[in-house]
């Protein structure tokens, strides 16, 4: 009789632990961010948007751009070289490092509009650039987005 009571107690403990693991995994999945940059061109405009397609907020820890194999340190210079133009009707630059993008939210990182008399000469952004974004969830899980591929990492550098 005692052995049966101990056995039932261990079974109840095992079920409880298993249920806790399932609930923990469900909790982590409910706040999983998934970052995806998007580029939009038209004849006169260029936009680089960073979108969070995940189920939870994304904390952007670092973002690095390269143009033609060289690191970008000046976004205005980057836009001039990418679009092969120095005259803009408008330009906006929003640094997103250390910011939070809500689930299904989007942030416009770079945007430029050329005067009507000028046209964007090339749409070769994917071929000439490399984007590396390191972001984390609210639970501290981190991922690297590198040119369309997302990999889990221990922490952002």
């Amino acid at each position: 009789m005692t052995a049966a009571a101990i056995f039932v107690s261990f079974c109840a403990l095992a079920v409880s632990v298993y249920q806790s693991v399932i609930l923990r995994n469900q909790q982590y999945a409910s706040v999983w961010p998934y970052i995806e940059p998007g580029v939009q061109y038209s004849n006169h405009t260029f936009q680089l948007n960073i979108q969070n397609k995940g189920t939870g907020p994304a904390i952007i820890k670092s973002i690095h751009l390269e143009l033609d194999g060289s690191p970008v340190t000046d976004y205005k210079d980057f836009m001039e070289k990418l679009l092969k133009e120095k005259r803009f009707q408008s330009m906006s630059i929003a640094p997103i490092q250390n910011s939070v993008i809500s689930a299904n939210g989007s942030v416009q990182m770079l945007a430029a509009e050329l005067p009507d008399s000028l046209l964007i000469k090339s749409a070769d952004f994917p071929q000439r650039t490399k984007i590396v974004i390191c972001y984390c969830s609210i639970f501290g899980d981190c991922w690297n987005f590198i040119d369309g591929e997302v990999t889990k990492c221990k922490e952002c550098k």
Side-chain angles (χ1 to χ4, degrees), residues 3 6 9-10 25 34 40 45 47-48 53-54 56 59 69 78 80 95 98 104 110 124 131 140 145 149-150 153 157:
I6 291 174
S9 296
F10 277 123
N25 289 341
Y34 186 82
Q40 295 177 331
T45 62
Q47 293 179 351
L48 171 61
K53 294 185 173 184
I59 303 165
F78 166 77
E80 290 173 355
N98 296 319
N104 296 315
L110 301 172
D124 56 357
I131 300 177
F145 173 96
E149 188 174 319
V150 177
C153 60
K157 299 174 186 174

Side-chain angles (χ1 to χ4, degrees), residues 134-154:
C134 191
Y135 62 97
C136 301
S137 74
I138 58 171
F139 288 124
D141 293 327
C142 298
W143 296 269
N144 276 317
F145 173 96
I146 303 173
D147 278 345
E149 188 174 319
V150 177
T151 55
K152 192 164 178 132
C153 60
K154 289 189 182 224

